[in-house]
Amino acid sequence: MRKTFNRILHTMIALLLLFTLTSCGTPAAKSEADIRGDIQKEDRCFSDYSLKIKSSTITKRQTNQDDKTDYVWVELTAENDAFTYRAEYELMYVLYNDGWLLEKFKNTASDIIPLSYPTLEEATAEINRYAGGCTYMDSAKSERSVSYQFEREETVYYLTTRYRTILSYQFDPSSGWTSGISEMELENRPDIVGEWLYQDSERYFYVNILSLEDQVVTLEYDLENIHISTYETANKKTDVPVKMDLNGDKDGYSIVLDRYSVYGNIHIYVGVSDKKLTDSTGCGVSCDGFFLKKIS
């Protein structure tokens, strides 16, 4: 009886030793913590942007002891102070004498999502540092870009231009949000409504532009001693306001009082930098070669 017991005991000890040796000879597959460590080493985003892992999930795994391979699919979320980083990976481990070693690593998908976005208040402050009087119109947003559209008007040399002004933000993981401004002209119109006057010892030119609509000017004028030829002068005056076509483009318009003469016509110059209004020359209303000053 004792011999039988001893035989059974020896058999159990042998099996236990065999199991222990076998277990020691086949290292366990990589743990989830080890896999996270390998991802942090292989994906440069972690070192470049000081990312910290918030969560990770092994979505699929195929370990084959006979083939000495271990395939792991991982989804991971990490963050720093500026953005959230979401990524998916495929890893393959191979069992060598030194244990399970990472043989292949592939980042199959990744996305960077900013933690905050430029607000309308911030955009409004920035756009008004560029140009005052901007009015908010619309906005558009994606994961890494934001644009705010404004409109504004600017009058230079009696030419009023309406602009569509776009403030665009782009997110870069290295530098954060950067901005740029682009503009396009929507329309130009002369800013000429009002009273204009030129006077010296020989002549008196008064023009009152009452309205400008659809390239039609309503005005009245009192012109004394304008040239009607090289040697002759005359007076021209309206009894009631008249309407005339404003012919030309944004750099120069003419109101033709006498289409058969080059003398005595009223001209309007706007938007030309080298014709800035001075005592005698520049943008604005002219008659007979003299520039009138806007008096109201």
Side-chain angles (χ1 to χ4, degrees), residues 1 12 65 69 98 142 162 205 211-212 214:
M1 186 72 179
M12 290 179 64
Q65 295 284 358
T69 58
D98 296 334
S142 64
R162 185 164 64 93
F205 301 151
S211 67
L212 171 61
D214 298 327

Side-chain angles (χ1 to χ4, degrees), residues 60-98:
K60 187 169 59 172
R61 189 165 193 172
Q62 181 179 313
T63 305
N64 192 320
Q65 295 284 358
D66 294 334
D67 291 343
K68 299 181 179 180
T69 58
D70 186 13
Y71 293 89
V72 188
W73 288 261
V74 180
E75 291 181 357
L76 178 147
T77 300
E79 279 187 2
N80 59 16
D81 293 337
F83 61 86
T84 296
Y85 179 67
R86 295 174 182 167
E88 297 178 12
Y89 306 93
E90 292 179 6
L91 300 88
M92 186 186 85
Y93 292 93
V94 175
L95 181 60
Y96 292 98
N97 293 335
D98 296 334

Side-chain angles (χ1 to χ4, degrees), residues 21-286:
L21 291 173
T22 303
S23 299
C24 293
T26 306
K30 290 277 189 175
S31 67
E32 187 170 347
D34 292 333
I35 293 170
R36 285 198 300 266
D38 287 337
I39 290 174
Q40 289 176 292
K41 292 176 184 177
E42 295 294 328
D43 189 342
R44 288 187 55 184
C45 285
F46 285 89
S47 58
D48 289 347
Y49 306 124
S50 302
L51 292 169
K52 294 182 179 180
I53 295 177
K54 292 296 182 181
S55 65
S56 65
T57 303
I58 295 177
T59 58
K60 187 169 59 172
R61 189 165 193 172
Q62 181 179 313
T63 305
N64 192 320
Q65 295 284 358
D66 294 334
D67 291 343
K68 299 181 179 180
T69 58
D70 186 13
Y71 293 89
V72 188
W73 288 261
V74 180
E75 291 181 357
L76 178 147
T77 300
E79 279 187 2
N80 59 16
D81 293 337
F83 61 86
T84 296
Y85 179 67
R86 295 174 182 167
E88 297 178 12
Y89 306 93
E90 292 179 6
L91 300 88
M92 186 186 85
Y93 292 93
V94 175
L95 181 60
Y96 292 98
N97 293 335
D98 296 334
W100 291 97
L101 301 180
L102 182 62
E103 188 76 10
K104 292 182 181 180
F105 176 87
K106 186 177 181 181
N107 186 334
T108 57
S110 63
D111 195 14
I112 290 175
I113 303 171
L115 294 178
S116 63
Y117 290 81
T119 65
L120 176 57
E121 290 74 16
E122 293 169 333
T124 301
E126 181 170 348
I127 203 71
N128 280 297
R129 286 193 293 269
Y130 168 77
C134 292
T135 302
Y136 169 71
M137 302 301 293
D138 198 4
S139 66
K141 179 181 177 182
S142 64
E143 281 191 353
R144 295 173 66 176
S145 66
V146 183
S147 65
Y148 292 98
Q149 296 187 22
F150 298 82
E151 284 190 8
R152 70 180 184 91
E153 287 189 350
E154 182 179 58
T155 300
V156 179
Y157 305 130
Y158 301 108
L159 180 71
T160 297
T161 304
R162 185 164 64 93
Y163 294 94
R164 174 66 54 83
T165 307
I166 302 173
L167 175 58
S168 300
Y169 292 94
Q170 297 290 330
F171 184 83
D172 181 86
S174 300
S175 55
W177 289 103
T178 57
S179 62
I181 294 175
S182 60
E183 283 194 315
M184 61 180 178
E185 294 184 7
L186 299 179
E187 68 170 350
N188 296 286
R189 65 180 185 275
D191 182 26
I192 56 173
V193 173
E195 295 180 284
W196 300 79
L197 177 68
Y198 177 85
Q199 185 176 12
D200 60 23
S201 60
E202 297 181 7
R203 55 193 65 79
Y204 174 88
F205 301 151
Y206 171 82
V207 177
N208 185 15
I209 300 177
L210 301 171
S211 67
L212 171 61
E213 296 180 6
D214 298 327
Q215 297 296 92
V216 176
V217 178
T218 301
L219 75 160
E220 55 188 9
Y221 53 83
D222 182 2
L223 311 174
E224 298 179 9
N225 293 328
I226 61 170
H227 285 89
I228 57 174
S229 70
T230 307
Y231 306 104
E232 298 177 277
T233 62
N235 298 339
K236 294 183 179 181
K237 183 178 181 179
T238 53
D239 296 322
V240 294
V242 296
K243 290 187 176 182
M244 295 185 176
D245 290 333
L246 187 62
N247 302 306
D249 57 30
K250 71 175 184 178
D251 291 331
Y253 299 85
S254 295
I255 301 172
V256 180
L257 303 182
D258 183 355
R259 65 179 61 256
Y260 300 105
S261 173
V262 296
Y263 301 98
N265 291 320
I266 299 172
H267 298 280
I268 299 171
Y269 296 97
V270 293
V272 188
S273 60
D274 61 356
K275 291 184 178 294
K276 187 175 180 181
L277 188 64
T278 63
D279 288 340
S280 59
T281 63
C283 291
V285 176
S286 74

